[in-house]
Amino acid sequence: MNATSLLSRIEAREARVAIIGLGYVGLPLAVEFGKQYEVVGFDINSRRLDELRAGHDRTLETTSEELRKATRLSYTHRIEDLRKTDVFIVTVPTPIDRHKRPDLTPLVKASETVGQALKPGAVVVYESTVYPGCTEEDCVPILEKFSGLKFNKDFFCGYSPERINPGDKVHTVSKIRKITSGSTPEIGKAVDALYRSIIAAGTHLASCIKVAEAAKVIENSQRDINIAFVNELSLIFERMGIDTQEVLEAAGTKWNFLPFRPGLVGGHCIGVDPYYLTHKAESLGYHPEIILAGRRLNDTMGAHVANRVVKLMIQRGQRIQGARVLVLGITFKENCPDIRNSHVIDVIQELKDFGCQVAVYDPWADPDDVRHEYGLELMSGLDAGGGFDAVVLAVAHEKFRALDLARLRKANAVLFDIKAFLAREQVDGRL
């Protein structure tokens, strides 16, 4: 099958699509494609597949109703079920290791799986965030090895970076403009047509895969640097006795002031993607200054918050050793169950290092996931809670607005608001 026949199959909605990885990125994509194309959703997590077959998405990115609408979507963990696929779309995570280096293990394993199922004429599209060149330099050789096929002769590749915003019910997958690309100009057009068929917001066809890879990795690097700037402002203004949020609100009255706010920078994107770009830059002999400086500063904010909380407690005459501190929220962002790379754990660990007894409550997070990822036991509820020496509002879940914070605290307890979620007069400190 060549690019022309693939394009014809796409236009006729006859192309067979496989989504490799059914997490926050892959499942919403599989659902949209499954409304129009024959789609196989592949995942190695059998529990995940059973839940999806039963109409339940634990990430809450899709609803039971949406899953039912995807009438042409099926699920599997078997490689043999992928062998008739025309277009593979790889949506596995690309994390970093403890040394802040890219960990391509999920991408390598996914490429091995696809390689074993690859047929002549098929296209493999990667959505995972990577450094420029990764698709063609790292993934293609694996596809060739496991398939026995030749790149750009027997099979082709594309890259279309994911733009999922976990927990966002407004900017869903079909409503965010999509970058597309292909390993040849003709394949690029076919990949673009495939995505254009489900993306209402439209597409942007990049000239080559490397451009598309680079565009993705700088999106979150840019946000990381901007947040680092306002985080640094909060460190400066704290020393001046100025409220950072008031400064930003005042500055925001100018039409072109960017509305970034200080805070913890976690999740699987902003706190991770810059390291992919810096890794590639350093391999080429260039040491990035601004990007790494922003990363270093953002990675210190959890410890900074804990230190501010402890200072406020000391000023209240509290004994830190054995003090009871309640942390509200463990997910990496508000109104979302995603706990990956949450830097709330930095606050918790620093408070524990001071000798505090830390309790964590988050109605959005899955207790089993938190236990596995961070070794923490979540509070099941706050009905029996109370008598805390400090409360740290770490995540701005809407559910927290209904909490009676006064009931949870001792008379001289400290209330620290990382997210500027509450009114200034309600809290003792905020970033």
Side-chain angles (χ1 to χ4, degrees):
M1 182 173 61
N2 56 30
T4 302
S5 59
L6 174 61
L7 184 58
S8 297
R9 286 176 62 79
I10 290 170
E11 291 173 342
R13 302 299 188 266
E14 295 175 352
R16 296 186 181 92
V17 179
I19 308 296
I20 311 300
L22 297 176
Y24 284 85
V25 175
L27 182 63
L29 201 64
V31 167
E32 288 302 318
F33 277 120
K35 296 173 183 177
Q36 300 186 46
Y37 301 86
E38 289 296 328
V39 178
V40 175
F42 179 92
D43 203 286
I44 59 174
N45 187 334
S46 57
R47 176 189 175 193
R48 173 76 165 152
L49 296 179
D50 289 341
E51 289 175 346
L52 293 176
R53 292 187 184 105
H56 173 63
D57 171 24
R58 63 171 41 235
T59 70
L60 304 182
E61 289 302 302
T62 58
T63 63
S64 297
E65 181 181 359
E66 284 296 307
L67 290 171
R68 285 194 297 271
K69 289 180 180 178
T71 56
R72 304 179 72 182
L73 170 61
S74 62
Y75 308 100
T76 189
H77 66 280
R78 295 163 16 114
I79 294 177
E80 49 265 38
D81 293 333
L82 302 176
R83 301 197 191 281
K84 294 181 179 180
T85 298
D86 299 310
V87 181
F88 295 85
I89 301 179
V90 178
T91 64
V92 297
T94 44
I96 53 175
D97 63 21
R98 62 190 182 92
H99 300 294
K100 311 292 188 184
R101 296 176 303 201
D103 179 5
L104 297 181
T105 302
L107 202 61
V108 168
K109 295 296 184 183
S111 298
E112 291 175 355
T113 295
V114 171
Q116 294 176 64
L118 205 55
K119 69 175 185 178
V123 177
V124 185
V125 181
Y126 289 89
E127 289 214 0
S128 308
T129 302
V130 293
Y131 44 78
C134 183
T135 298
E136 292 157 299
E137 296 166 13
D138 296 283
C139 299
V140 163
I142 298 172
L143 294 173
E144 288 184 322
K145 176 183 176 180
F146 281 81
S147 68
L149 303 176
K150 187 69 176 176
F151 178 51
N152 274 348
K153 179 183 177 183
D154 303 318
F155 75 93
F156 306 88
C157 281
Y159 185 79
S160 181
E162 60 92 357
R163 280 182 166 172
I164 293 291
N165 187 25
D168 190 337
K169 304 308 178 186
V170 176
H171 303 96
T172 53
V173 62
S174 65
K175 298 175 183 176
I176 304 175
R177 194 175 182 191
K178 203 86 160 63
I179 297 172
T180 60
S181 66
S183 55
T184 69
E186 295 75 22
I187 289 298
K189 292 177 182 177
V191 171
D192 189 71
L194 178 68
Y195 278 100
R196 205 176 337 114
S197 68
I198 67 162
I199 305 296
T203 59
H204 174 89
L205 178 57
S207 62
C208 64
I209 287 175
K210 279 188 179 180
V211 168
E213 290 170 324
K216 170 57 181 177
V217 81
I218 70 167
E219 288 177 17
N220 288 318
S221 297
Q222 181 187 65
R223 292 176 66 195
D224 192 43
I225 291 168
N226 278 303
I227 297 171
F229 172 62
V230 293
N231 273 336
E232 188 162 59
L233 291 181
S234 74
L235 299 178
I236 295 170
F237 294 148
E238 178 199 349
R239 287 162 172 76
M240 296 180 178
I242 301 173
D243 184 79
T244 305
Q245 298 295 334
E246 291 184 12
V247 175
L248 294 175
E249 288 167 10
T253 59
K254 188 179 181 184
W255 77 93
N256 60 354
F257 185 81
L258 300 178
F260 288 92
R261 291 293 184 268
L264 306 177
V265 183
H268 65 294
C269 290
I270 303 179
V272 172
D273 296 356
Y275 288 118
Y276 277 77
L277 182 57
T278 59
H279 168 81
K280 185 65 175 181
E282 289 174 335
S283 74
L284 297 172
Y286 179 78
H287 181 74
E289 300 288 350
I290 295 175
I291 299 171
L292 287 175
R295 277 281 75 237
R296 285 192 295 270
L297 193 147
N298 283 341
D299 278 347
T300 66
M301 291 307 292
H304 170 70
V305 167
N307 276 267
R308 284 195 62 185
V309 171
V310 168
K311 286 180 181 178
L312 289 168
M313 292 170 69
I314 292 172
Q315 291 168 9
R316 296 279 174 91
Q318 295 186 19
R319 184 175 183 271
I320 303 304
Q321 183 69 36
R324 298 182 68 228
V325 180
L326 172 64
V327 173
L328 294 173
I330 186 66
T331 61
F332 92 90
K333 66 180 293 187
E334 64 276 5
N335 307 319
C336 169
D338 195 347
I339 64 168
R340 291 175 295 172
N341 196 35
S342 171
H343 280 272
V344 178
I345 192 64
D346 297 343
V347 180
I348 295 168
Q349 190 56 57
E350 190 76 7
L351 288 169
K352 286 184 175 181
D353 288 346
F354 274 111
C356 298
Q357 297 179 11
V358 182
V360 184
Y361 174 70
D362 193 322
W364 276 91
D366 183 286
D368 291 335
D369 291 344
V370 174
R371 186 182 303 112
H372 176 267
E373 187 72 17
Y374 300 116
L376 293 175
E377 293 293 334
L378 292 182
M379 297 178 68
S380 59
L382 294 175
D383 293 338
F388 288 101
D389 299 292
V391 175
V392 180
L393 200 154
V395 186
H397 294 319
E398 279 300 317
K399 293 179 180 179
F400 289 158
R401 291 196 187 278
L403 292 179
D404 184 355
L405 295 176
R407 183 182 62 83
L408 298 171
R409 301 150 59 199
K410 291 181 179 178
N412 66 337
V414 168
L415 175 56
F416 194 93
D417 184 3
I418 295 177
K419 300 292 291 184
F421 184 63
L422 304 172
R424 179 67 185 91
E425 59 272 13
Q426 290 181 265
V427 302
D428 301 299
R430 63 179 183 177
L431 288 179

